[in-house]
Amino acid sequence: MADLSHLLQQTMSRRHLTAQALAERTGIRTPPIRVFAQDGAHGPVHPTEAELAELAVALALPLPDVLDAAGPAAGAPS
């Protein structure tokens, strides 16, 4: 199981996306994206299932992979 932080960092790097560019694609504010990329789903800001779905679409990743990477923190209120 990949950690959300690792998955986001790796995919953003491959696609040459910054947190700001990803925020523009998803509608998620830049600070939470930075937190998700740095601390994963278990950091101080927990991604919602809707945010995880938006990230999956924007990064062309399978949603089950993103949800698996987020683990039990997926869907927690942010």
Side-chain angles (χ1 to χ4, degrees), residues 5-77:
S5 170
H6 181 73
L7 181 66
L8 290 177
Q9 288 176 19
Q10 192 174 45
T11 307
M12 288 169 62
S13 177
R14 254 186 286 147
R15 300 195 191 301
H16 305 286
L17 290 172
T18 63
Q20 183 175 354
L22 190 53
E24 290 171 6
R25 286 185 177 199
T26 62
I28 301 169
R29 292 180 25 245
T30 304
I33 291 176
R34 284 188 183 127
V35 172
F36 303 156
Q38 181 178 350
D39 299 326
H42 304 286
V45 179
H46 303 284
T48 65
E49 284 189 44
E51 289 170 329
L52 293 170
E54 288 180 50
L55 291 169
V57 169
L59 294 171
L61 294 169
L63 180 57
D65 290 354
V66 175
L67 293 174
D68 185 46

